[in-house]
């Protein structure tokens, strides 16, 4: 009894601390995205936060492809409401037909291709002011702390999440991001003896989470939702047994 | 570029106009009259009256003596100018530059227009047929100068197209009156027996100037093309245009803002009453030093919302240089479309691409960085990866085509396939390893080949055999071999990266 009451007390205090730190608590229903529940545990209040910037660091060209795929998967969870999203970049290689693999409609995404960093930041801020978007994605390599703080203030008003993909940044500086992600490729899983390439699989590293501990996951995208990689293995094991017999 | 002009003469402008309104008059002789110095003078007569000897300038009493049952109508001053103005606006379909040539003609600057009707002969035939359908008799001519085309249209009976740089020879057989001279000069020329242009055009200039004045030399120069001639085109006023004259020349950004707001309010009220919205608008500022400053805006959805349109203009105010000051602003709507008035409740809940706040955002972005930066893609019926997507023209455009093989397409596609070195010992099997940017990638898993042929009706070249491969790190790539396998000189490329 004493232990439990103490635990309640500590949880209450933790919530109070989060509130004092300016971390507004949303009710669980308001923000329950079943597709993203896999990552929810890594965040405070066990809730995938959307009111802020998610930053993705990609060093190699291959990492960029993995990050773009992962962002697409996140977008598909957010775009279920039917609102469009905006993709801002300076040198876009994204090929819209492939977005269908991530349960997205490519024609619901508006691409804005720009040349200068200044223009990207201006358009990003303007886009985040528009409340009817499900998300804004920007490919930008450098983002200073003050720039990110400015974006954060806009987001707090409009509640539109921003995903910022930083390709080969010169330095990974402090920003106001809610989470800093790094996505790496993992070999795709297929039953032994089956030819071909399987579902996209990644090792997802949460390098930094505001008010929580870093974490890492091994996940695959099965066409509709995320799955733990070991669960994929479990599904595949019966197949292996069948093959053996 | 060499200029070409067409001159159109309406020999029976006023009477043709009345015949169109009252067809029963076609069968009787009638004239228009006006009082001049206390006498009633004929100002226009129809072909039937003309054939019986009646002509313009004759007193009505003489006309009555020639044709007993002549019908008489009162002429109003400047009625012909009004008619010509209407006709000039109608002729905008043949060329953007039409000028009125009082009292009974039009001049068209047809430089670069006639080829749209195949050639100049077709062009003229088209004009005269259309005019005849309406009910106007016309005589037309085309030449390099306004003067020659005017002369040929009125005084030449056969050839009505003067070839380029041949206006001198076209003028030779024509009478002196075809040079657009004053009546006294023509009379003096005729008195001296100089009936045709050929008889005096070679005379020394000093002689001509002494006897007939400077004007004759100017007219000859204009007809041949040695002297320039002013061409004063009819300007069609856009349907929605507002003007704001300023008492004092305006120089500050705040004042320009106020001017834009006022103009927008005026134009939006008019548009709202007509149920229309702006798609494109142009703001012009006329500076006191004679220069014109201008800026344009475009919207993705027709809009007559003053606040939104002002925001679009506000993005460009800093690019306007008022110089010494702006004395007149005009705002014209160059493109308007019916606006769908959103109902309040729907407006709030409507999501997706039709949402007004999204199109407002895109308008702002287009105003700042240019409309070309904004793209939305829809499928194109083409297997070739570079041509599988098509840029949508509007936010609502959609074709119901499916995306072709989305599972087999990479999330990142290189703009140009890059050359790679491979080890591929077995024909039509994926390679064992490839080297890209100096790094070795041993291949562990692969899918393919997927053969894609070129669109032979667009370009020639080799087909591509695509493979999806995964290396030992788990990175997935899209490779292809150009053409058929050959042990030594197969060319391999990398074209994309999978997620």
């Amino acid at each position: 009894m004493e232990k439990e009451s103490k635990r309640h007390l500590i949880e209450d205090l933790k919530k109070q601390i989060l509130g004092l730190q300016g971390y507004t608590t949303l009710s669980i229903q308001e923000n329950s995205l079943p597709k993203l529940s896999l990552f929810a545990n890594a965040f405070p209040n066990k809730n995938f936060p959307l009111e802020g910037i998610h930053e993705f660091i990609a060093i190699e060209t291959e990492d960029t492809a993995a990050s773009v795929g992962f962002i697409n998967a996140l977008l598909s969870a957010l775009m279920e409401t039917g609102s469009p999203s905006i993709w801002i970049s300076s040198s876009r290689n994204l090929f819209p037909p492939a977005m269908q693999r991530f349960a997205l409609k490519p024609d619901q995404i508006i691409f804005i291709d720009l040349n200068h960093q200044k223009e990207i930041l201006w358009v990003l801020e303007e886009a985040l002011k528009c409340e009817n978007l499900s998300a804004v994605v920007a490919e930008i390599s450098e983002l200073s702390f003050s720039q990110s703080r400015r974006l954060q203030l806009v987001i707090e008003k409009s509640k539109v999440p921003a995903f910022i993909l930083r390709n080969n940044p010169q330095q990974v500086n402090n920003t106001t991001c809610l989470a800093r992600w790094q996505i790496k490729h993992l070999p795709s899983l297929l039953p032994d003896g089956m030819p071909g390439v399987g579902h996209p699989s990644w090792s997802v590293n949460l390098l930094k989470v505001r008010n929580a501990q870093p974490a890492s996951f091994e996940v695959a995208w099965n066409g509709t939702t995320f799955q733990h990689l070991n669960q994929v293995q479990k599904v595949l094991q019966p197949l292996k047994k069948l093959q053996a017999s | 570029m060499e200029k070409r002009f067409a001159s159109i003469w309406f020999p029976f402008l006023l009477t043709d106009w009345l015949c169109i309104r009252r067809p029963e008059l076609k069968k009787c002789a009638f004239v228009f009259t006006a009082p001049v110095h206390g006498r009633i003078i004929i100002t226009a007569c129809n072909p039937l009256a003309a054939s019986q000897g009646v002509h313009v300038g004759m007193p009505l009493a003489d006309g009555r003596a020639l044709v007993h049952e002549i019908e008489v109508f009162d002429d109003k001053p400047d009625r012909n100018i009004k008619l010509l103005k209407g006709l000039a606006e109608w002729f905008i379909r043949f060329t953007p530059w039409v000028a009125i040539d009082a009292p009974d003609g039009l001049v068209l600057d047809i430089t670069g227009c006639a080829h749209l009707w195949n050639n100049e002969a077709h062009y003229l035939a088209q004009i005269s047929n259309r005019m005849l359908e309406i009910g106007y008799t016309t005589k037309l001519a085309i030449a390099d100068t306004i003067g020659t085309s005017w002369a040929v249209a009125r005084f030449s009976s056969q050839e009505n197209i003067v070839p380029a740089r041949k206006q001198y020879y076209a003028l030779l057989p024509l009478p002196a009156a075809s040079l657009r001279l004053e009546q006294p000069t023509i009379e003096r020329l005729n008195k001296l027996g100089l009936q045709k242009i050929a008889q005096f055009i070679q005379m020394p200039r000093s002689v001509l100037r002494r006897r007939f004045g400077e004007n004759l030399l100017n007219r000859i120069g204009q007809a041949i093309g040695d002297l320039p001639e002013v061409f004063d085109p009819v300007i069609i006023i856009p349907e929605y245009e507002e003007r704001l004259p300023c008492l004092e020349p305006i120089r500050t950004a705040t004042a320009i803002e106020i001017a834009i707001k006022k103009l927008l309010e005026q134009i939006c009220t008019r548009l709202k009453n007509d149920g229309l919205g702006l798609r494109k608008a142009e703001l012009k500022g006329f500076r006191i030093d004679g220069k014109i400053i201008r800026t344009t805006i475009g919207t993705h959805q027709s809009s007559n919302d003053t606040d939104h349109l002002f925001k679009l203009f506000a993005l460009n105010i800093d690019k306007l240089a008022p110089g010494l000051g702006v004395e007149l602003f005009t705002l014209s709507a160059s493109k308007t479309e019916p606006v769908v008035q959103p109902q309040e409740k729907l407006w709030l809940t409507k999501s997706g691409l039709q949402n007004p706040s999204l199109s407002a955002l895109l308008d702002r972005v287009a105003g700042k960085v240019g409309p070309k930066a904004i793209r939305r893609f829809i499928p194109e019926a083409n297997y070739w990866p570079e041509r599988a997507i098509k840029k949508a023209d509007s936010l609502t455009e959609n074709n119901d085509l499916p995306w072709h093989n989305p599972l087999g397409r990479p999330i990142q596609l290189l703009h140009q396939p890059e050359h790679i070195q491979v080890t591929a010992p077995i024909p039509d099997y994926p390679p064992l390893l490839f080297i890209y940017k100096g790094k070795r990638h041993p291949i562990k898993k692969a899918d393919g080949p997927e053969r894609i042929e070129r669109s032979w009706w667009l370009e020639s070249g080799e087909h591509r055999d695509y493979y999806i491969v995964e290396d030992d790190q788990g990175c997935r790539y899209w490779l292809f071999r150009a053409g058929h396998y050959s042990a030594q000189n197969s060319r391999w490329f990398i074209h994309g990266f999978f997620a």
Side-chain angles (χ1 to χ4, degrees):
Chain A
M1 275 304 283
E2 220 174 82
K3 265 188 186 175
E4 246 179 45
S5 64
K6 265 187 186 172
R7 210 177 63 208
H8 273 296
L9 197 70
I10 287 167
E11 271 181 15
D12 277 350
L13 282 172
K14 267 187 182 173
K15 272 184 189 169
Q16 273 182 31
I17 290 170
L18 287 180
L20 288 172
Q21 282 176 337
Y23 204 87
T24 43
T25 45
L26 291 169
S27 68
I28 305 290
Q29 280 105 354
E30 208 178 328
N31 186 9
S32 67
L33 293 164
K35 276 189 180 176
L36 302 183
S37 56
L38 203 149
F39 305 106
N41 281 341
F43 293 98
N45 291 334
K46 301 193 172 168
N47 201 349
F48 193 94
L50 292 176
E51 288 179 26
I53 302 168
H54 288 265
E55 190 180 318
F56 295 80
I57 306 286
I59 311 292
E60 313 252 349
T61 330
E62 289 87 346
D63 295 347
T64 311
S67 308
V68 168
F70 186 77
I71 293 171
N72 269 312
L74 294 183
L75 277 186
S76 80
L78 295 171
M79 281 178 68
E80 277 176 340
T81 52
S83 318
S85 51
I86 286 185
W87 194 292
I88 308 162
S89 60
S90 56
S91 54
R92 183 174 52 82
N93 282 330
L94 178 66
F95 191 50
M99 298 176 102
Q100 266 212 323
R101 180 175 209 150
F102 299 95
L104 282 172
K105 285 182 194 147
D107 59 332
Q108 291 287 310
I109 294 171
I110 293 159
F111 295 96
I112 301 179
D113 297 338
L114 303 165
N115 293 326
H116 304 293
Q117 164 107 0
K118 262 188 184 173
E119 286 178 343
I120 296 182
L121 284 169
W122 186 88
V123 174
L124 177 59
E125 194 181 324
E126 285 295 311
L128 286 172
K129 282 179 192 164
C130 182
E131 289 170 14
N132 288 296
L133 294 175
S134 40
V136 181
V137 186
E139 292 181 41
I140 192 169
S141 53
E142 305 305 324
L143 184 75
S144 71
F145 180 73
S146 52
Q147 284 161 350
S148 69
R149 191 161 55 179
R150 203 176 148 131
L151 296 176
Q152 178 68 33
L153 289 174
V154 176
I155 294 171
E156 276 171 17
K157 266 188 198 160
S158 68
K159 322 258 189 253
V160 176
F163 299 114
I164 291 182
L165 173 57
R166 298 181 61 182
N167 285 325
N168 204 2
Q170 281 181 350
Q171 69 173 109
V172 183
N173 51 327
N174 265 338
T175 55
T176 59
C177 61
L178 293 173
R180 177 173 289 157
W181 305 72
Q182 190 168 38
I183 317 292
K184 291 261 180 202
H185 277 289
L186 278 183
S188 58
L189 283 177
L190 277 175
D192 287 342
M194 291 279 268
V197 179
H199 290 308
S201 317
W202 305 293
S203 105
V204 175
N205 294 305
L206 269 168
L207 303 178
K208 209 172 113 176
V209 186
R210 205 195 292 173
N211 296 313
Q213 298 302 315
S216 78
F217 306 87
E218 291 194 341
V219 295
W221 176 260
N222 68 2
T224 49
T225 183
F226 286 108
Q227 265 184 318
H228 274 298
L229 212 56
N230 49 22
Q231 276 176 341
V232 178
Q233 274 167 322
K234 268 180 207 161
V235 176
L236 295 175
Q237 265 160 6
L239 277 174
K240 275 186 199 168
K241 275 178 198 164
L242 269 176
Q243 273 186 335
S245 65
Chain B
M1 187 172 180
E2 274 177 355
K3 292 262 177 193
R4 294 292 276 169
F5 291 94
S7 181
I8 303 173
W9 180 37
F10 298 91
F12 305 105
L13 178 69
L14 284 173
T15 54
D16 280 347
W17 164 73
L18 199 66
C19 280
I20 294 167
R21 303 180 91 198
R22 294 172 60 182
E24 72 274 9
L25 283 173
K26 271 181 197 164
K27 283 174 192 147
C28 60
F30 69 94
V31 291
F32 279 92
T33 58
V36 177
H37 297 302
R39 289 199 302 175
I40 305 288
I41 298 286
I42 293 174
T43 55
C45 60
N46 75 342
L48 211 61
S51 67
Q52 296 180 53
V54 179
H55 62 84
V56 175
M58 186 187 258
L60 177 61
D62 295 0
R64 276 243 163 83
L66 282 170
V67 189
H68 182 57
E69 291 166 341
I70 199 162
E71 295 256 3
V72 179
F73 297 94
D74 283 341
D75 196 6
K76 268 190 213 158
D78 287 345
R79 183 183 269 159
N80 56 343
I81 302 292
K82 234 186 224 172
L83 283 176
L84 286 175
K85 223 173 193 180
L87 284 165
E89 284 179 12
W90 186 87
F91 268 101
I92 294 290
R93 70 196 62 196
F94 287 104
T95 166
W97 305 108
V98 186
I100 290 174
D101 180 16
D104 54 1
L106 293 174
V107 180
L108 276 56
D109 183 349
I110 62 159
T111 315
C113 295
H115 76 275
L116 299 172
W117 283 263
N118 291 335
N119 56 40
E120 289 175 345
H122 276 129
Y123 186 75
L124 285 190
Q126 180 78 12
I127 292 180
S128 66
N129 287 343
R130 290 294 295 272
M131 291 319 291
L132 213 60
E133 274 170 33
I134 296 171
Y136 285 107
T137 320
T138 50
K139 280 203 74 189
L140 310 120
I142 293 182
D144 275 5
T145 60
I146 297 175
T148 307
S149 65
W150 191 93
V152 174
R154 283 161 179 78
F155 292 93
S156 173
S157 48
Q158 331 111 27
E159 193 51 52
N160 55 2
I161 295 174
V162 180
R165 295 179 297 278
K166 292 280 186 283
Q167 50 269 36
Y168 176 78
Y169 302 101
L171 285 172
L172 290 180
L174 298 180
S178 65
L179 282 175
R180 295 179 287 174
L181 303 169
E182 297 98 353
Q183 201 56 37
T185 320
I186 297 171
E187 276 167 15
R188 196 177 303 154
L189 281 166
N190 289 345
K191 217 172 176 178
L192 294 170
L194 301 171
Q195 312 276 354
K196 300 251 156 103
I197 296 177
Q199 289 166 320
F200 60 84
I201 196 165
Q202 290 291 11
M203 283 184 187
R205 288 171 63 84
S206 57
V207 174
L208 287 177
R209 187 183 290 116
R210 197 170 65 236
R211 305 265 174 132
F212 307 105
E214 186 72 35
N215 192 37
L216 175 65
L217 290 176
N218 285 346
R219 286 304 192 183
I220 292 175
Q222 284 175 344
I224 286 173
D226 296 340
L227 288 177
E229 186 165 357
V230 179
F231 183 81
D232 187 16
V234 172
I235 294 164
I236 296 203
I237 300 165
E239 209 182 339
Y240 294 97
E241 187 179 73
E242 293 294 337
R243 299 161 72 85
L244 186 76
C246 312
L247 278 178
E248 296 268 325
I250 272 179
R251 296 182 62 184
T252 60
T254 334
I256 296 177
E257 272 175 28
I258 295 169
I260 294 174
K261 267 184 197 159
K262 272 193 178 170
L263 286 169
L264 276 174
E265 264 167 32
Q266 289 169 359
I267 212 163
C268 285
T269 337
R270 278 182 62 200
L271 287 168
K272 256 178 213 161
N273 291 340
D274 298 348
L276 292 173
L278 275 181
R279 283 297 306 273
K280 268 185 202 160
E282 188 181 31
L283 176 82
K284 274 189 203 164
F286 294 81
R287 295 192 343 192
I288 50 175
D289 56 357
K291 285 190 181 145
I292 300 176
I293 48 171
R294 56 185 84 208
T295 176
T296 50
I297 56 155
T299 60
H300 280 79
Q301 264 179 357
S302 63
S303 158
N304 53 25
D305 180 8
T306 324
D307 292 338
H308 172 52
L309 294 172
F310 176 72
K311 267 183 204 159
L312 300 183
F313 273 117
L315 294 171
N316 294 338
I317 286 177
D318 53 347
K319 289 178 202 146
L320 296 173
L324 293 169
V326 181
E327 52 184 354
L328 172 71
F329 285 99
T330 64
L331 179 68
S332 58
S334 39
K335 194 175 171 192
T336 53
E337 270 177 17
V339 71
V340 186
Q341 288 294 346
Q343 288 182 22
E344 291 294 314
K345 268 193 180 171
L346 288 173
W347 195 84
L348 289 172
T349 55
K350 205 171 174 188
S351 66
L353 291 165
Q354 270 95 49
N355 195 295
S357 65
L358 177 67
S359 60
L361 163 72
L362 294 181
D363 290 346
R364 278 205 302 282
V365 173
K368 180 88 173 177
V369 299
K372 280 188 183 158
I374 301 170
R375 298 187 181 121
R376 197 173 69 89
F377 295 103
I378 52 175
E380 172 101 281
N382 203 320
Y383 294 118
W384 199 250
E386 283 94 334
R387 296 206 187 93
I389 55 173
K390 186 177 127 190
K391 196 177 165 249
D393 290 331
S394 67
L395 283 178
T396 46
E397 186 186 348
N398 227 335
N399 52 13
D400 289 325
L401 293 173
W403 294 95
H404 176 67
N405 191 9
L407 289 183
R409 295 286 173 268
I411 193 80
Q412 298 278 87
L413 187 81
L414 294 171
H415 294 296
Q416 279 285 330
E418 284 174 40
H419 202 267
I420 49 169
Q421 287 170 301
V422 300
T423 308
I426 316 165
D428 293 331
Y429 261 65
L432 292 179
L433 63 87
F434 71 95
I435 300 169
Y436 173 54
K437 286 191 176 165
K439 202 177 160 196
R440 230 165 130 262
H441 298 272
I443 289 168
K444 292 291 167 199
K445 290 175 189 144
D447 258 336
E450 179 190 0
R451 175 165 295 181
I452 305 182
E453 289 280 357
R454 276 178 202 272
S455 315
W456 53 262
W457 56 96
L458 293 175
E459 60 184 359
S460 61
E462 286 165 319
H463 64 256
R464 293 171 177 178
D465 282 343
Y466 277 101
Y467 294 90
I468 303 168
V469 299
E470 185 181 290
D471 71 357
D472 57 343
Q473 302 294 313
C475 303
R476 293 168 275 274
Y477 304 90
W478 210 30
L479 313 180
F480 73 84
R481 187 187 64 227
H484 290 287
Y485 177 86
S486 84
Q488 261 78 51
N489 22 348
S490 283
R491 287 180 305 126
W492 286 79
F493 297 88
I494 182 167
H495 201 182
F497 302 89
F498 281 90

